[in-house]
Structure formats: C-alpha cells, structure tokens
Amino acid sequence: MGGSGAGGGTAAPLPLPARPWTLWAAIAMLVLEIAALVVSAVFFVTLARAGEPALTTSLLSLAVMFAILALGLAGVAVGLHRMRRWARPATVAWQVLLILFGLSVLGSGWLLPVASIAPAVLGLIALFAPPTLRAYETALAVHEENDRAATADGAPGR
C-alpha cells in the first residue's frame, strides 16, 4: 500500500473510512458546546459594555477565556472529524470537565447542570459507541499506513 506510483511519483494517500452516525453525533455535541461558549463570550462582552465599570475587566476576561476555549474545542472537533488519535482523549477530557462542572452547580437550579451534563454524556456515549470505535481504529491504521508511505517516499535513495 502507498509507495511510488508507476510514474515515479507518490501514490495518493489511502482514504479514511466512512464516518458513522455515532461519530457525527459526537462531533455535533462538540459543535453545540462550541456554540454555547461563543454565545457566552458575546454575552459577557455585551454585559461589559452595558454593566458597571468595576466589572468590565472581569467580564472581558471571561469573554476572552470562553473564546479561546471555543477555538481550542473547534480544533478538537476538526481532529475528531479527521479521526486523529489525539482528538479522542481531548474530547473525553473536555466532556469529563463539563460533567464535573455540571455536578458542581447542581444547587443552582436544573437548567445549567442539565445543559452541561446532557451533551457531555451524549457525546461520550457516541464517542465510545461500537461503530465509532471501529471506524476510528480503521482510520488510525490508515493514518499510520499513509505516514509510513510518506516517510518511505521521502527517504533518500528512493
């Protein structure tokens, strides 16, 4: 697999397997969480502009932090879509943090805990569903083969 083609050029990389609906569901949960972070960041900026001057710095700092988290999570979602090895543990870590956050705010009513715990649990279930695991394991093998072929094609003396 891989290697040099008949014309001496490199062969096209092997394609990734089809993404099962369960992987799309895990990605959708991440996108939902990204949207919540972006909406929160915009909300904090709006509050900073309309609120008390004493709170402006804190609110803008929260907005920046939420925007950075959203950007990082967007990178994780792209990695999950590309079925990269590093994206699964990053996704799991984020979902566990959301569950812990949801548990920590249980006394504040039901909306915030449910809004943080439900997507995290659904995302973890989708991430560890058998179709996702099978597709991911196949994709990891494809990535390794493509990397091996690229290294062999770029090796001196070939």
Side-chain angles (χ1 to χ4, degrees):
M1 293 187 174
S4 298
T10 59
L14 298 171
L16 291 175
R19 289 158 190 84
W21 72 268
T22 52
L23 180 57
W24 285 112
I27 294 168
M29 291 300 104
L30 284 177
V31 170
L32 176 68
E33 293 158 2
I34 292 166
L37 286 169
V38 169
V39 167
S40 296
V42 170
F43 179 70
F44 291 140
V45 169
T46 304
L47 278 179
R49 292 180 52 138
E52 295 180 35
L55 297 176
T56 300
T57 303
S58 296
L59 289 169
L60 291 177
S61 297
L62 280 172
V64 168
M65 181 183 73
F66 277 47
I68 291 169
L69 284 171
L71 285 173
L73 202 53
V76 171
V78 169
L80 201 58
H81 178 263
R82 293 179 181 169
M83 293 189 267
R84 292 298 193 175
R85 183 178 305 276
W86 59 266
R88 279 194 303 188
T91 302
V92 170
W94 176 255
Q95 303 305 353
V96 168
L97 284 173
L98 277 182
I99 291 168
L100 292 174
F101 169 76
L103 292 173
S104 74
V105 294
L106 274 175
S108 67
W110 64 271
L111 183 59
L112 190 55
V114 169
S116 60
I117 293 172
V121 169
L122 292 173
L124 286 173
I125 290 170
L127 190 62
F128 288 106
T132 300
L133 294 177
R134 281 191 299 273
Y136 227 98
E137 290 305 314
T138 302
L140 293 177
V142 168
H143 285 306
E144 288 174 9
E145 180 58 32
N146 286 339
D147 291 345
R148 224 181 341 267
T151 302
D153 286 341
R158 275 192 79 94

